[in-house]
Amino acid sequence: MNMNTFGAHLRLTSFGESHGVALGGVLDGYPGGVALDLDRVQRAVNRRRPGQSNLTTPRKEADEVEWLSGIFEGVSTGAPIAFLVRNQDARSRDYAQIKDIYRPGHADEAYDAKYGIRDYRGGGRSSARETVVRVIGGALAAQLIPEVHVQSLVASVGTYRCEEWNEDEVFRGLGGDENSVRTLRAEDALKMEALIAQAREEGDSLGGEISTLVRGVPAGWGEPIYDKLTARLASAMMSINATKGVEFGSGFAGAQLRGSQHNDQPDASGRYTTNHAGGFSAGISNGQTLQFNVAFKPVSTISQRQNARKRSGEVVSLEVEGRHDPCVLPRAVPVVEAMTYLVLADFSLIQKTRRI
Amino acid sequence: MNMNTFGAHLRLTSFGESHGVALGGVLDGYPGGVALDLDRVQRAVNRRRPGQSNLTTPRKEADEVEWLSGIFEGVSTGAPIAFLVRNQDARSRDYAQIKDIYRPGHADEAYDAKYGIRDYRGGGRSSARETVVRVIGGALAAQLIPEVHVQSLVASVGTYRCEEWNEDEVFRGLGGDENSVRTLRAEDALKMEALIAQAREEGDSLGGEISTLVRGVPAGWGEPIYDKLTARLASAMMSINATKGVEFGSGFAGAQLRGSQHNDQPDASGRYTTNHAGGFSAGISNGQTLQFNVAFKPVSTISQRQNARKRSGEVVSLEVEGRHDPCVLPRAVPVVEAMTYLVLADFSLIQKTRRI
Amino acid sequence: MNMNTFGAHLRLTSFGESHGVALGGVLDGYPGGVALDLDRVQRAVNRRRPGQSNLTTPRKEADEVEWLSGIFEGVSTGAPIAFLVRNQDARSRDYAQIKDIYRPGHADEAYDAKYGIRDYRGGGRSSARETVVRVIGGALAAQLIPEVHVQSLVASVGTYRCEEWNEDEVFRGLGGDENSVRTLRAEDALKMEALIAQAREEGDSLGGEISTLVRGVPAGWGEPIYDKLTARLASAMMSINATKGVEFGSGFAGAQLRGSQHNDQPDASGRYTTNHAGGFSAGISNGQTLQFNVAFKPVSTISQRQNARKRSGEVVSLEVEGRHDPCVLPRAVPVVEAMTYLVLADFSLIQKTRRI
Amino acid sequence: MNMNTFGAHLRLTSFGESHGVALGGVLDGYPGGVALDLDRVQRAVNRRRPGQSNLTTPRKEADEVEWLSGIFEGVSTGAPIAFLVRNQDARSRDYAQIKDIYRPGHADEAYDAKYGIRDYRGGGRSSARETVVRVIGGALAAQLIPEVHVQSLVASVGTYRCEEWNEDEVFRGLGGDENSVRTLRAEDALKMEALIAQAREEGDSLGGEISTLVRGVPAGWGEPIYDKLTARLASAMMSINATKGVEFGSGFAGAQLRGSQHNDQPDASGRYTTNHAGGFSAGISNGQTLQFNVAFKPVSTISQRQNARKRSGEVVSLEVEGRHDPCVLPRAVPVVEAMTYLVLADFSLIQKTRRI
């Protein structure tokens, strides 16, 4: 029964709404005795913060993390680590017009059906603002497994797709944060920025893909049968707002290969020279670099006029005001990384109990 | 902590190995008072059974379900429903040769790393034979939600892809079981069969995609934030052997669209005329037909000679004997359906508690 | 994996330390659409608050509940309900002397062994101050099941034990809050107050028992086999600080009876005239009034000089300063009630799914 | 959501009914690489088996454990360990008379209310025959923590209570299995046997208490706040059929002491000379011997004539035929031990993840 809690052994419970008092979380199962770098957490949050560049929503949020519990003199105590991020620029008045209207592509209608009530202010609980909680949890999780390095990058925006990257190039420390799109190469960033700027001008939005590579995961993480590392990562990715799909290693393209092409075989020295498996054997880490891609739809909030259903069933013509990102990919990069760290740290703990 | 248990409220616990005594499961959380059609369960199992056609492994298994508990005079009692399927044709001698060898593409090396021990007979716990448990669980789950109809079909084999189907065509009751590939149209089936026959002849294997459509799910199933219907389905699909990816609605292709194209809008009568969302809003069912695709890699077991690592690190040339499916897609169709039913029946129960 | 989360379907996650920033909680799984009486919650908190009478610790805490999420215009939205209670009078300096000393009867040594670190300020996470979170959660849970009435009362203090109560007398609306001990009868209260006052004067402490009666629970709540209503209540009670045991219905005394005496039989009209079962059949509610008793040890914090082990193994003579309750029973009454409501509300939700 | 599954990390799922095909279980989360002594498991089962002496039910059951999965060449593989015990002497005809009658003291009425259906054959799922599953699970759990020794003994039967035992006496290897009552001293056994024989002759039944001592548990097992070792043990004990209460260390009697008497203090050498805490500090093991008592009611099945309610509400006079134990205490001893081992082995695994 997960609902608003993520993880089995390392468990992140999330709360808060887009226009409520605060977003926050409780990270339980974190071992005692870890000297925590809380500045690193704040830096991770800053990477997700709105208003970093003109590609993102102008909503102004300081997003300062308030630590509530679980840390004593800079060290984790084993008690649950709770934290808050207060909402500041929550202009609820923007949302009065949509009180009874179900915005196309949004959670509105589904939430109303589910709970019989809906907090219509900025999407309420369904807002992507919730992902700040994940980023904080992920930055703590990362400090549990310092040997693991997760690197996510924007691989495509709309119809523009970067050429394949070399793994070493990705881990050479660039990290994609030199450019506002969070893609690997400057030349791709320029083109993507232009596309996003154009979409914003037209009151439209763009989707795309984020690719993730992970080094440092030993063989054996993930649980057969129903809690495979792939299964948990897939669940983690699909829990992120606006995701449409996830693929591991060779992914959908790999489905077109033959077994003789797809099987990764060792060379004479015992080294695997291909990684179609994406670092997963039977869903469990096999010691190779982990690889997966996540597809994001274009943001549902656009400025163009659309048809929308009302609670009453009536159809109206809607032009949504308010601020939004024309393309969430750049800000989703730290969220994908955070969820990946949460999954991996959880399995690192679980694996401590699997062999005698 | 899921491990070998799937589901939150309706929970399937699975056990057994490919060459052990039996596979089996325990389905807990099933309400009392449901008059069960156990023949329907056996028919579902028969659809997954090996040896149905010359496209599948010749391993001979009757796969008769033995019911152990939870059913009294044909009606569920609310107690856990336990069942067994005994292994018959488990020729363990086939596997002695690979005792110390890690077969390319298989779980062998990862399991050894995980547990420090490995049951090498036919993949042990990692064998796809475990999916018989899911089919049984799914056929019971389906009887909890008779208003829901799940229809999976093979959409591609290797590089051959069927043309788009019309939703009504899919639900016209064909069900894909007229042909041994379990695809919608006879002409596609013929071509796919030929491809599979050819791969088998060459000692090779093929992957492909399975598309699933689901009718009858009301708006509101699935849980925010971390247990979305999409998240749980993704986890369910990635828990199936040989899966490489999953996409919902417009999926990866949808990532290339603009928001103005992707948002599903109602027409004047209030009906949605597109379904890019695939029936999910913010990961929760929105009352439209559910749609998702799953990619399967080509089976790892091939008859061609390959390099393989031994436990000792040494690399050897391996030619695996034994029986296998050159393409698992046809037999995976009932497994995908079963996992979908398990997920949906679980959320149908949970939803009973979400509104007053 | 419960750790700091209580409940299966209705889940309370708790955080915070005695001398940290705040105590708080997240209540997940609460249905949407419940009009909440938040004043009732604050009143419940006030009943547990320190400093209510001269029987309790003089620590000064306003204990005002700050609501963070999950409530919109006074109604539950189905989103997690998060709340805080800030610590005000947290004089950490009181605790410097015990930094390296394990206080007799306290969690100090066990926590240090568990986590390799210990927040020594006022017991840190192990402090009974954490129970304020439960009281808030319980007061919300109670509003889910308005037909259920839980009444806990102090039945003994030290060696002084009240005479048996008549059930109707208990539910006649007295509620025990007329007297500072929270026992049923004024004459018992006077004697207990005197005993507590004497113990405080002597720098000592007293234990006792709390009896609970519950009306309004229909037959069928609780889950076989491992999540019986008795099992969950026992777990809930033993999770409260300072509890030593729990017994249901006839309890330990009932173990001395014969089956012919103990079995509750209906009279000719079908009414059960005894309730040795305490309202539980096979651990599931049977429609009769629920009855159980909880034993509390005398508080470990006393002002008398005691031997204590240091971290180093050395034994020192310790005289603990600081404020404490000489007898926690009166303040534990609302905590026992809260945990009971949490358990019952959880099972009321689960029971919605057990029959078709 | 535990229902028929016990444990967090080491999870036992139980199934089966008294008069169904079989009882059985699935133990998940058991580490790989443990060389298992399956004879030891069978011996544990034999201790619980009916028909061992004339104190117990004459129902004849071989109770041979059939192993289904998770063990390869005598060693645990990390896969779920599944097992069966078939029912042989299941004379369902005995039970036709009670089809529509709710037996006093039994689960009948509560199960009917819960599920709207009831398997009336021998109590169905609510039968104590289910405890065979726990004994098997416990005997496997015990092999995970060979340093821990759990010793349960019958401390009272009806109104007869043994004098206090010395801890060393208990662990001197007697184990209580020299006598059919499973109490420590032969002279007590003789008196208890006589009491039980007399009750059987009178068609009546007796309850009593079982005391448990545990050596070898290090400090730090158990989880704050809601999953304390005491809380989990209490839940485990109350999940056993016919239990009425549980108390730890000084228990209910301890509630009458003063803090200055109750606090365990170290002597000059650092050794604790009392153990009122029963080995638990704040619910977590503190390195001392664990101690707790469990109360059992007299068995509800008696041969004397009683009033009973029918499904229709009508009251009838009932004389139950069939076989039963006049006192379950002797056969409950291995069940209490098994549940204790399951709890402790689970926490031993969890504790591997609590410190870095």
Side-chain angles (χ1 to χ4, degrees):
Chain A
M1 193 63 64
N2 277 334
M3 309 183 283
N4 295 284
T5 297
F6 186 80
H9 205 94
L10 181 69
R11 299 169 65 78
L12 176 66
T13 297
S14 156
F15 62 84
E17 294 93 34
S18 175
H19 288 59
V21 175
L23 279 297
V26 185
L27 186 64
D28 200 4
Y30 204 89
V34 182
L36 293 169
D37 180 347
L38 300 182
D39 290 337
R40 178 176 166 184
V41 178
Q42 185 64 56
R43 284 196 304 274
V45 169
N46 295 349
R47 293 180 72 211
R48 198 214 71 98
R49 192 164 52 186
Q52 297 170 68
S53 76
N54 58 4
L55 302 184
T56 61
T57 170
R59 176 170 173 167
K60 295 233 168 33
E61 293 291 351
D63 281 357
E64 266 179 55
V65 186
E66 266 180 75
W67 299 100
L68 298 175
S69 68
I71 305 171
F72 181 50
E73 299 177 343
V75 178
S76 66
T77 63
I81 302 176
F83 51 84
L84 278 188
V85 170
R86 295 197 176 265
N87 289 320
Q88 300 181 312
D89 185 10
R91 308 188 202 164
S92 297
R93 61 189 178 284
D94 285 347
Y95 293 95
Q97 67 159 138
I98 58 154
K99 185 176 170 179
D100 295 313
I101 298 178
Y102 298 138
R103 294 166 299 164
H106 279 275
D108 303 352
E109 192 164 0
Y111 268 61
D112 224 347
K114 182 161 197 70
Y115 297 115
I117 179 178
R118 156 183 161 235
D119 175 354
Y120 54 79
R121 301 163 304 165
R125 181 71 182 144
S126 72
S127 165
R129 184 146 174 73
E130 185 274 338
T131 58
V132 70
V133 177
R134 309 173 185 224
V135 170
I136 297 169
L140 293 167
Q143 298 186 41
L144 255 191
I145 43 171
E147 70 280 17
V148 171
H149 190 73
V150 176
Q151 180 65 65
S152 300
L153 290 166
V154 174
S156 76
V157 163
T159 54
Y160 184 86
R161 170 174 293 277
C162 306
E163 275 178 50
E164 288 279 302
W165 300 314
N166 175 285
E167 188 186 318
D168 287 326
E169 196 183 357
V170 169
F171 282 106
R172 202 171 293 139
L174 300 180
D177 270 11
E178 292 69 27
N179 55 69
S180 57
V181 182
R182 293 206 172 91
T183 188
L184 185 65
R185 301 194 191 100
E187 59 268 32
D188 290 329
L190 284 173
K191 286 178 188 144
M192 288 167 162
E193 280 169 22
L195 283 169
I196 296 171
Q198 188 192 342
R200 192 186 43 220
E201 225 162 278
E202 295 170 15
D204 215 335
S205 64
L206 293 172
E209 288 181 38
I210 291 176
S211 287
T212 301
L213 294 179
V214 187
R215 277 191 175 165
V217 175
W221 289 8
E223 295 296 310
I225 296 294
Y226 298 118
D227 203 14
K228 292 180 167 134
L229 183 45
T230 44
R232 187 85 79 84
L233 283 169
S235 166
M237 295 305 134
M238 292 309 305
S239 79
I240 300 174
N241 308 54
T243 54
K244 297 291 292 184
V246 57
E247 60 178 2
F248 297 86
S250 64
F252 278 86
Q256 301 190 23
L257 298 180
R258 292 182 144 226
S260 56
Q261 301 167 304
H262 194 274
N263 283 350
D264 300 311
Q265 300 176 42
D267 63 16
S269 74
R271 236 182 111 259
Y272 291 97
T273 51
T274 57
N275 188 9
H276 296 113
F280 307 93
S281 294
I284 295 171
S285 65
N286 63 17
Q288 307 301 311
T289 299
L290 305 185
Q291 302 185 343
F292 58 92
N293 300 319
V294 183
F296 288 77
K297 69 174 184 182
V299 186
S300 297
T301 307
I302 58 176
S303 307
Q304 298 182 13
R305 184 163 290 278
Q306 300 174 89
N307 282 346
R309 216 147 62 169
K310 295 188 72 171
R311 241 189 168 203
S312 59
E314 191 192 344
V315 175
V316 295
S317 179
L318 175 73
E319 202 178 318
V320 184
E321 297 164 18
R323 305 144 298 170
H324 67 274
D325 293 271
C327 178
V328 293
L329 278 284
R331 288 179 61 208
V333 162
V335 179
V336 168
E337 291 180 357
M339 293 307 289
T340 306
Y341 275 119
L342 280 167
V343 169
L344 293 172
D346 193 12
F347 282 122
S348 80
L349 291 174
I350 295 173
Q351 181 57 18
K352 286 180 194 293
T353 70
R354 290 302 180 231
R355 340 174 25 153
I356 52 163
Chain B
M1 193 64 64
N2 276 337
M3 307 183 285
N4 295 284
T5 297
F6 186 80
H9 204 96
L10 181 69
R11 297 170 64 79
L12 177 66
T13 297
S14 156
F15 61 84
E17 294 94 34
S18 175
H19 288 60
V21 176
L23 278 297
V26 185
L27 187 63
D28 200 4
Y30 204 90
V34 181
L36 293 169
D37 180 347
L38 300 183
D39 290 337
R40 178 175 167 185
V41 177
Q42 186 64 56
R43 284 196 302 275
V45 169
N46 294 349
R47 292 180 72 211
R48 198 215 70 98
R49 192 165 52 186
Q52 298 170 67
S53 77
N54 58 4
L55 302 184
T56 61
T57 170
R59 176 171 173 166
K60 296 233 166 35
E61 293 291 352
D63 280 358
E64 267 179 52
V65 186
E66 266 180 74
W67 298 100
L68 298 175
S69 69
I71 305 170
F72 181 50
E73 299 177 343
V75 178
S76 66
T77 64
I81 302 176
F83 51 83
L84 276 189
V85 170
R86 295 196 176 267
N87 290 320
Q88 300 180 313
D89 185 10
R91 309 187 202 164
S92 296
R93 62 189 177 283
D94 284 348
Y95 293 96
Q97 67 160 137
I98 58 153
K99 185 176 170 179
D100 296 313
I101 297 177
Y102 298 138
R103 294 166 299 164
H106 279 275
D108 302 353
E109 193 164 359
Y111 268 61
D112 225 347
K114 182 163 197 70
Y115 297 114
I117 180 179
R118 155 183 161 234
D119 176 353
Y120 53 80
R121 302 163 304 165
R125 181 70 183 145
S126 72
S127 164
R129 184 148 174 71
E130 185 274 338
T131 57
V132 69
V133 176
R134 309 173 186 224
V135 170
I136 297 169
L140 293 167
Q143 299 186 41
L144 256 190
I145 42 171
E147 70 280 16
V148 171
H149 190 73
V150 177
Q151 180 64 65
S152 300
L153 290 166
V154 174
S156 76
V157 164
T159 54
Y160 184 87
R161 171 175 293 275
C162 305
E163 277 178 49
E164 288 280 301
W165 300 315
N166 174 287
E167 188 187 317
D168 287 327
E169 196 182 357
V170 169
F171 282 106
R172 201 171 294 139
L174 300 180
D177 270 11
E178 291 70 27
N179 55 69
S180 56
V181 182
R182 292 206 172 90
T183 189
L184 185 66
R185 300 194 191 100
E187 60 268 31
D188 291 327
L190 284 173
K191 285 178 189 145
M192 288 167 164
E193 279 169 22
L195 282 169
I196 296 171
Q198 189 192 341
R200 191 186 45 222
E201 224 162 278
E202 296 168 16
D204 215 336
S205 64
L206 293 171
E209 288 181 37
I210 291 177
S211 287
T212 300
L213 295 179
V214 187
R215 278 190 174 166
V217 175
W221 288 8
E223 295 295 311
I225 296 294
Y226 299 119
D227 203 14
K228 292 181 166 131
L229 182 46
T230 44
R232 186 86 80 82
L233 283 169
S235 167
M237 294 305 134
M238 291 310 304
S239 81
I240 300 174
N241 308 54
T243 52
K244 296 293 290 183
V246 58
E247 58 177 4
F248 296 86
S250 64
F252 278 85
Q256 301 188 23
L257 298 179
R258 294 184 144 224
S260 55
Q261 300 168 304
H262 194 273
N263 282 351
D264 300 311
Q265 300 176 43
D267 63 14
S269 72
R271 235 181 112 258
Y272 290 97
T273 51
T274 56
N275 188 9
H276 295 113
F280 307 92
S281 294
I284 295 172
S285 65
N286 63 17
Q288 308 299 313
T289 299
L290 305 186
Q291 302 186 343
F292 58 91
N293 300 319
V294 183
F296 288 78
K297 71 174 181 180
V299 187
S300 298
T301 307
I302 58 176
S303 307
Q304 298 182 13
R305 184 164 290 278
Q306 300 174 90
N307 282 346
R309 219 148 59 170
K310 295 190 72 170
R311 243 193 166 201
S312 60
E314 193 192 344
V315 174
V316 295
S317 179
L318 175 73
E319 200 177 320
V320 184
E321 296 164 18
R323 305 144 298 171
H324 67 274
D325 293 271
C327 177
V328 294
L329 278 284
R331 288 179 62 207
V333 162
V335 179
V336 169
E337 291 180 357
M339 293 307 291
T340 306
Y341 276 120
L342 280 166
V343 169
L344 293 172
D346 193 12
F347 282 121
S348 79
L349 291 174
I350 295 172
Q351 182 56 19
K352 286 180 195 292
T353 69
R354 290 301 180 233
R355 338 173 27 152
I356 51 162
Chain C
M1 192 64 65
N2 276 335
M3 308 183 283
N4 295 284
T5 298
F6 186 80
H9 205 95
L10 181 69
R11 298 169 66 77
L12 176 66
T13 297
S14 155
F15 61 84
E17 294 93 34
S18 176
H19 289 59
V21 175
L23 278 297
V26 186
L27 187 64
D28 200 4
Y30 205 89
V34 182
L36 293 169
D37 180 347
L38 300 183
D39 290 337
R40 178 176 166 185
V41 178
Q42 185 64 55
R43 285 196 302 274
V45 169
N46 294 349
R47 292 180 73 211
R48 198 214 70 97
R49 192 164 51 185
Q52 298 171 67
S53 76
N54 58 3
L55 301 184
T56 61
T57 170
R59 177 171 172 166
K60 296 235 165 33
E61 293 291 353
D63 281 359
E64 265 178 54
V65 186
E66 266 180 74
W67 298 100
L68 298 175
S69 67
I71 305 170
F72 181 50
E73 300 177 344
V75 178
S76 67
T77 64
I81 302 175
F83 51 84
L84 277 189
V85 171
R86 296 198 175 265
N87 290 320
Q88 300 181 312
D89 184 10
R91 309 187 202 164
S92 296
R93 61 187 178 286
D94 285 348
Y95 294 95
Q97 67 160 136
I98 58 154
K99 185 176 170 178
D100 295 313
I101 298 178
Y102 298 137
R103 294 166 299 163
H106 279 276
D108 302 352
E109 192 164 0
Y111 268 61
D112 224 347
K114 181 162 198 70
Y115 297 115
I117 180 178
R118 156 182 161 236
D119 176 355
Y120 54 80
R121 300 163 304 165
R125 181 70 182 145
S126 72
S127 165
R129 183 144 175 75
E130 186 274 338
T131 57
V132 69
V133 177
R134 309 173 185 225
V135 170
I136 297 168
L140 292 167
Q143 299 187 40
L144 254 189
I145 43 172
E147 70 279 18
V148 171
H149 190 74
V150 176
Q151 179 66 64
S152 301
L153 291 166
V154 174
S156 75
V157 163
T159 53
Y160 184 87
R161 171 174 293 277
C162 305
E163 276 178 50
E164 287 280 302
W165 300 314
N166 174 286
E167 188 186 319
D168 287 327
E169 195 183 358
V170 169
F171 282 106
R172 202 170 294 141
L174 301 181
D177 270 11
E178 291 69 28
N179 54 69
S180 56
V181 183
R182 293 206 172 91
T183 189
L184 186 66
R185 300 193 191 102
E187 60 268 30
D188 291 327
L190 284 173
K191 286 177 189 144
M192 289 166 161
E193 279 170 22
L195 283 169
I196 296 171
Q198 188 192 343
R200 192 186 44 220
E201 225 161 279
E202 297 170 15
D204 215 335
S205 64
L206 293 171
E209 288 181 39
I210 291 176
S211 287
T212 300
L213 294 179
V214 188
R215 278 191 173 164
V217 175
W221 289 8
E223 294 296 309
I225 297 294
Y226 299 119
D227 203 14
K228 292 180 167 134
L229 183 45
T230 43
R232 186 86 79 82
L233 283 169
S235 167
M237 295 306 134
M238 292 309 305
S239 80
I240 300 175
N241 307 53
T243 54
K244 296 292 292 183
V246 58
E247 59 178 2
F248 297 86
S250 64
F252 278 85
Q256 301 189 24
L257 299 180
R258 294 183 143 224
S260 56
Q261 300 167 304
H262 194 274
N263 283 351
D264 300 311
Q265 301 176 42
D267 63 16
S269 72
R271 233 181 115 258
Y272 290 97
T273 50
T274 56
N275 188 9
H276 295 114
F280 307 92
S281 294
I284 294 170
S285 65
N286 63 17
Q288 307 300 313
T289 299
L290 305 186
Q291 302 186 342
F292 59 90
N293 299 320
V294 183
F296 288 77
K297 69 174 182 181
V299 186
S300 297
T301 307
I302 58 176
S303 308
Q304 299 182 11
R305 184 164 291 278
Q306 299 175 88
N307 282 346
R309 218 147 60 170
K310 295 189 71 170
R311 242 191 167 202
S312 59
E314 192 192 343
V315 174
V316 294
S317 180
L318 175 73
E319 201 178 318
V320 184
E321 297 164 18
R323 306 144 297 170
H324 67 274
D325 292 271
C327 178
V328 294
L329 278 284
R331 289 180 61 209
V333 163
V335 179
V336 169
E337 290 181 356
M339 293 307 291
T340 305
Y341 276 120
L342 280 166
V343 169
L344 293 171
D346 193 11
F347 281 121
S348 79
L349 291 174
I350 295 173
Q351 182 57 17
K352 287 180 193 293
T353 70
R354 290 300 179 232
R355 338 172 29 152
I356 53 162
Chain D
M1 192 64 64
N2 277 334
M3 306 182 285
N4 296 283
T5 297
F6 186 80
H9 204 97
L10 181 68
R11 297 170 65 78
L12 176 66
T13 298
S14 157
F15 61 85
E17 294 94 33
S18 175
H19 288 60
V21 175
L23 278 297
V26 185
L27 187 63
D28 201 4
Y30 205 89
V34 182
L36 293 170
D37 181 346
L38 300 183
D39 291 337
R40 178 175 166 186
V41 178
Q42 185 65 56
R43 284 196 303 275
V45 169
N46 295 349
R47 291 179 73 211
R48 197 214 71 97
R49 191 164 53 186
Q52 296 171 69
S53 77
N54 59 5
L55 301 184
T56 61
T57 170
R59 177 170 172 168
K60 296 235 165 34
E61 293 291 352
D63 280 358
E64 266 179 53
V65 186
E66 267 180 75
W67 298 100
L68 298 175
S69 68
I71 305 170
F72 181 49
E73 299 177 344
V75 178
S76 66
T77 63
I81 302 176
F83 51 84
L84 276 189
V85 170
R86 295 196 177 266
N87 289 320
Q88 299 181 312
D89 184 9
R91 309 188 201 163
S92 297
R93 61 188 178 285
D94 285 348
Y95 294 96
Q97 67 160 137
I98 58 155
K99 186 176 170 180
D100 296 314
I101 298 177
Y102 299 137
R103 294 166 301 162
H106 279 276
D108 302 352
E109 192 164 359
Y111 268 61
D112 225 348
K114 182 164 198 68
Y115 297 115
I117 181 179
R118 155 183 161 236
D119 176 355
Y120 54 80
R121 301 163 305 164
R125 181 70 183 144
S126 72
S127 164
R129 184 147 175 72
E130 186 274 340
T131 58
V132 70
V133 176
R134 309 172 185 225
V135 170
I136 298 169
L140 293 167
Q143 298 187 41
L144 256 189
I145 43 172
E147 70 279 17
V148 171
H149 190 73
V150 177
Q151 179 66 63
S152 300
L153 290 166
V154 174
S156 75
V157 163
T159 53
Y160 184 87
R161 172 174 292 277
C162 305
E163 276 179 50
E164 289 280 301
W165 300 315
N166 175 286
E167 188 186 316
D168 287 326
E169 196 184 357
V170 169
F171 283 106
R172 203 171 293 140
L174 301 180
D177 270 11
E178 291 69 26
N179 55 69
S180 56
V181 182
R182 292 206 172 91
T183 189
L184 186 66
R185 300 194 191 100
E187 60 268 31
D188 291 327
L190 284 173
K191 286 176 189 144
M192 288 167 162
E193 279 169 23
L195 283 169
I196 296 171
Q198 189 193 339
R200 192 186 43 222
E201 225 162 278
E202 296 170 14
D204 215 336
S205 64
L206 292 172
E209 288 181 38
I210 291 177
S211 288
T212 299
L213 295 179
V214 187
R215 278 190 174 167
V217 175
W221 288 8
E223 295 295 310
I225 298 293
Y226 299 119
D227 203 15
K228 291 182 166 130
L229 182 45
T230 43
R232 187 86 80 83
L233 283 169
S235 166
M237 294 306 134
M238 292 310 305
S239 80
I240 299 175
N241 308 53
T243 53
K244 296 293 290 183
V246 58
E247 59 177 4
F248 297 86
S250 63
F252 278 86
Q256 301 189 22
L257 298 179
R258 295 184 144 224
S260 55
Q261 300 166 305
H262 194 275
N263 282 352
D264 301 310
Q265 300 177 40
D267 63 16
S269 73
R271 234 181 113 258
Y272 290 97
T273 50
T274 57
N275 188 8
H276 296 113
F280 306 93
S281 294
I284 295 172
S285 65
N286 63 16
Q288 307 301 312
T289 299
L290 305 186
Q291 304 184 342
F292 58 91
N293 300 320
V294 183
F296 288 78
K297 70 174 182 181
V299 186
S300 298
T301 308
I302 58 176
S303 308
Q304 299 181 12
R305 184 164 290 279
Q306 300 175 87
N307 282 347
R309 215 144 66 166
K310 295 190 72 169
R311 240 189 169 204
S312 59
E314 191 191 344
V315 175
V316 295
S317 178
L318 175 74
E319 200 176 321
V320 184
E321 295 163 21
R323 305 144 299 170
H324 67 273
D325 292 271
C327 177
V328 294
L329 278 284
R331 288 179 62 208
V333 162
V335 180
V336 169
E337 290 181 357
M339 293 307 290
T340 307
Y341 275 121
L342 280 166
V343 169
L344 293 172
D346 193 12
F347 281 121
S348 80
L349 291 174
I350 295 173
Q351 182 56 18
K352 286 180 194 292
T353 69
R354 290 300 179 234
R355 335 172 30 151
I356 51 163

